[in-house]
Amino acid sequence: MVLSSSTVRRYHDGTKHHFHRFARSAGYLDWASQPRPFRAFTGAPAFPFVSVGVASARGPQPLPADCRYAPRRVGYDHLFDPPAHTGPVRAAAIGDLLRHALGLSAWKQYREARWSLRVNPSSGNLHPTEAYVVCGVCPGLADSPAVYHYAADRHALELRGAFDPSTWESACEGRRDALLVALTSIHWREAWKYGERAFRYCQHDLGHAIAALVVAAAAVGWRAVLLPAWSQRAIAAVTGVDRDEDFVEAEREEPGCILAIGAGDVPAPLWNGGEQLVAAAKAGRWFGRASQLSEDHVQWTFIDEIARATEDPGRALPPGNRAEGAREGGAVGRAGGAGARDRAADARALILQRRSAVAFDGRSSMEADAFFALLSRVMPAHHAPWDALWWTPRVHLAIFVHRVVDLAPGLYLLPRGAGAIDTLRPALGREFLWDAAHDHPRLVGLAHGDCQRLAARLSCDQAIAADGFFSLGMIAQFDASLEEHGPSFYRHLFWESGFIGQVLYLEAEAAGARATGIGCFYDDPVHDTLGLAGHAFQSLYHFTVGVPVEDTRLMTEAGYEWERGSIVAPLH
Ligand SMILES: Cc1cc2nc3c(=O)[nH]c(=O)nc-3n(C[C@H](O)[C@H](O)[C@H](O)COP(=O)(O)O)c2cc1C
């Protein structure tokens, strides 16, 4: 434990960007070894969702009655207090979930270059996150309980393993309304470009993907919660990523996290770590071989070291603890004022339109009401999406306000939790104002003045941090969190940051604006700006929101062929 903790500190400090030196990477892009964007399992039977009730290139297919699923239109605001969907899990509902969490949101083209974007964002659009679904028998899928790999390029499930039906039944206590989704990371995808800092980006991306799943589950009418009792080893076993024989020459996947998704409470055996299910998976029948993404690799051993040091053994918590993250939160935040125009918009459409801004106009302002409505949505609460997280929130926002109507430009603090201000105040070692700028959510004014240049400078000189309404740093309570939950919680701090980021992305779209995650920032200069010394708090992620300037040279197409042109067969 002591060794692991010191590795966390060494890795975190060793992968900081400094004004005079970036974290270690190759320093150039070796295009010959660029990882392929999609993994496939060769030889695994595939189940494309277009044939199980959603849509098909030949138009909608007639469905057997037990496959039918009619997604309800859900307004964006309802994602935060979703109406429950009851009844057994259907394949098409799983398709709806995955399409709106991890599917392709668009294809972009510029001259000869064509690339896809996904519903979940990713640092450098490199997408290290892979997803696996574990579910019971559903018409349209395999005829036994099974684990599947999600192939986002084809919007299909690839059958990886089939298990003994009685084990799944007892894991779900006989219920048919639950499934599991596990997420893994292929570190190489990010390391190819970013070198040693890549482990951080993989964790941010997991946080975004977790939130994307929770939000898409809410659109279906399901609740999604992270399962803390599952060790990484158990996740590796149930997804099959620990099977050496299936990854010959293929880049390995690091187990990340697992979520229970469904209509009711999590069945106790799944909450408690799924021991028997894991044993059944190990004894099950497995299919397919993982595809290789690059022929050549650079070994970044620091990443292997931090991955080992932060391996999660799982932690047993009573089921009541799963809403711990909500303890200090309030009621469902309702948005008002300008910027509220898209809040009744179709949630799925809004999810699919999420993009990162590449530039902001540097002029437009946000109405104060809209700004505070957006901030209230990132506050932990007793409802979706925040009730998916089992820990007390550890990440607070230091906000550089540039253009918010009736709010003086300057530096502000959004403590995400009632007691947080008492820990933050003594840690911020500068002469700050500590003005009460707003009550709900509580926003504290630290300093007034134009901080556009400072914000851009701290975010690796990126103009997007200066040209929007505001940009921010996510300040995590670092030492105390790791002390309380152990070294593996290093990952969770990034997950919480990515999770907040995903909510900010959607809130920006709902307000008629756009956001961008910023993984490139100068770590210690951010701490100096706030007067933070030592490791009690560390800045883990930056974000920015504003009115985008579109790159009109790019052509855009819908994510899937069956969503384009006259053969569009709508999902709902
Ligand atoms: C963890 C993370 C870090 C990112 N860092 C930056 C950044 O420093 N600068 C930037 O312009 N975009 C950044 N992005 C945005 C990505 O480039 C963007 O998500 C990706 O290109 C995919 O595009 P999309 O978000 O429009 O789907 C980041 C995104 C994530 C998730």
Side-chain angles (χ1 to χ4, degrees):
M1 177 86 136
V2 175
L3 252 186
S4 309
S5 307
S6 68
T7 306
V8 172
R9 178 75 69 86
R10 205 160 46 78
Y11 174 81
H12 189 68
D13 286 350
T15 54
K16 284 180 173 172
H17 286 329
H18 302 275
F19 284 148
H20 58 283
R21 175 170 45 85
F22 281 97
R24 220 159 70 90
S25 70
Y28 65 95
L29 293 178
D30 174 18
W31 293 109
S33 67
Q34 183 184 20
R36 294 175 188 90
F38 300 108
R39 166 150 280 171
F41 283 87
T42 315
F47 298 87
F49 282 113
V50 288
S51 65
V52 290
V54 181
S56 122
R58 284 164 287 133
Q61 299 294 292
L63 293 170
D66 50 4
C67 283
R68 276 183 206 142
Y69 165 76
R72 287 170 299 185
R73 183 191 183 283
V74 177
Y76 174 70
D77 261 348
H78 280 295
L79 294 179
F80 298 82
D81 59 346
H85 168 86
T86 47
V89 170
R90 300 201 185 278
I94 301 176
D96 186 19
L97 170 81
L98 295 171
R99 199 268 164 279
H100 294 98
L102 306 169
L104 304 190
S105 53
W107 283 90
K108 294 275 176 187
Q109 183 153 0
Y110 178 61
R111 296 193 175 144
E112 303 303 304
R114 190 166 185 268
W115 65 96
S116 59
L117 297 176
R118 304 198 199 182
V119 171
N120 54 317
S122 167
S123 188
N125 201 26
L126 293 164
H127 289 286
T129 309
E130 298 289 326
Y132 294 83
V133 172
V134 186
C135 64
V137 177
C138 301
L141 298 181
D143 55 10
S144 68
V147 55
Y148 305 87
H149 170 249
Y150 179 52
D153 53 340
R154 290 163 281 150
H155 190 43
L157 289 179
E158 296 176 311
L159 177 64
R160 283 284 290 131
F163 320 140
D164 158 40
S166 63
T167 314
W168 176 256
E169 280 220 348
S170 54
C172 291
E173 298 179 319
R175 292 192 0 228
R176 297 180 58 213
D177 57 359
L179 69 141
L180 297 170
V181 177
L183 299 174
T184 66
S185 305
I186 305 178
H187 291 154
W188 166 242
R189 281 217 170 102
E190 289 283 333
W192 168 74
K193 181 170 180 187
Y194 296 114
E196 291 183 341
R197 199 168 159 102
F199 181 79
R200 297 179 177 213
Y201 296 149
C202 289
Q203 306 309 317
H204 285 125
D205 282 10
L206 275 176
H208 279 282
I210 294 165
L213 276 163
V214 178
V215 165
V220 175
W222 285 334
R223 181 163 176 242
V225 288
L226 277 175
L227 300 178
W230 286 63
S231 66
Q232 271 184 244
R233 278 187 197 187
I235 297 172
V238 89
T239 53
V241 299
D242 62 353
R243 292 173 51 80
D244 295 342
E245 60 273 46
D246 298 347
F247 285 82
V248 178
E249 294 191 340
E251 298 76 5
R252 297 309 288 251
E253 298 181 20
E254 170 80 2
C257 59
I258 189 158
L259 296 105
I261 301 183
D265 282 341
V266 182
L270 294 183
W271 178 258
N272 293 330
E275 209 176 304
Q276 281 164 9
L277 187 61
V278 170
K282 283 190 168 159
R285 281 188 64 205
W286 288 85
F287 308 87
R289 293 279 172 99
S291 59
Q292 195 183 28
L293 307 177
S294 305
E295 278 74 33
D296 295 317
H297 304 91
V298 177
Q299 295 302 328
W300 294 102
T301 53
F302 211 5
I303 292 183
D304 302 333
E305 246 184 275
I306 185 66
R308 273 197 305 276
T310 57
E311 187 179 323
D312 197 341
R315 48 183 69 70
L317 296 178
N321 259 39
R322 61 182 179 250
E324 193 193 342
R327 218 191 270 156
E328 291 163 348
V332 177
R334 288 279 172 227
R341 64 179 187 270
D342 281 340
R343 288 177 181 281
D346 178 63
R348 291 180 179 82
L350 198 125
I351 286 169
L352 295 186
Q353 83 178 39
R354 184 213 61 79
R355 299 278 182 283
S356 293
V358 290
F360 291 123
D361 69 2
R363 284 184 286 113
S364 305
S365 299
M366 186 175 213
E367 293 295 332
D369 279 2
F371 175 66
F372 290 117
L374 176 149
L375 292 188
S376 71
R377 280 283 163 76
V378 300
M379 294 302 287
H382 286 283
H383 53 73
W386 300 106
D387 57 357
L389 307 181
W390 54 263
W391 60 90
T392 310
R394 303 299 162 124
V395 177
H396 313 285
L397 308 186
I399 308 178
F400 298 102
V401 171
H402 307 316
R403 276 166 286 270
V404 175
V405 177
D406 293 334
L407 192 62
L411 177 59
Y412 292 80
L413 184 67
L414 184 83
R416 292 180 61 255
I421 191 81
D422 303 331
T423 336
L424 281 158
R425 192 163 180 155
L428 268 57
R430 279 192 189 273
E431 286 288 310
F432 283 131
L433 299 170
W434 299 98
D435 275 352
H438 197 260
D439 282 343
H440 295 291
R442 183 175 187 183
L443 187 71
V444 180
L446 295 181
H448 293 157
D450 180 344
C451 47
Q452 294 178 80
R453 279 188 57 187
L454 173 65
R457 179 77 181 119
L458 294 176
S459 285
C460 294
D461 300 295
Q462 299 186 72
I464 45 171
D467 291 344
F469 309 139
F470 64 91
S471 63
L472 57 88
M474 299 192 194
I475 311 298
Q477 195 175 7
F478 195 79
D479 276 348
S481 307
L482 296 177
E483 216 158 281
E484 184 179 342
H485 293 301
S488 66
F489 201 73
Y490 184 56
R491 298 169 184 247
H492 296 66
L493 290 176
F494 285 101
W495 299 354
E496 185 176 329
S497 308
F499 200 106
I500 294 170
Q502 191 66 12
V503 174
L504 282 170
Y505 264 124
L506 294 176
E507 279 293 306
E509 295 290 339
R514 187 141 282 176
T516 304
I518 299 182
C520 188
F521 56 88
Y522 295 116
D523 300 67
D524 285 337
V526 178
H527 304 144
D528 293 343
T529 302
L530 293 166
L532 289 169
H535 289 74
F537 289 89
Q538 294 284 286
S539 177
L540 296 188
Y541 193 19
H542 283 199
F543 234 81
T544 180
V545 177
V547 169
V549 179
E550 302 295 347
D551 186 342
T552 50
R553 297 168 307 167
L554 302 188
M555 301 233 313
T556 305
E557 276 187 322
Y560 298 100
E561 203 185 332
W562 38 269
E563 292 174 346
R564 291 173 208 148
S566 58
I567 55 160
V568 168
L571 281 160
H572 35 276

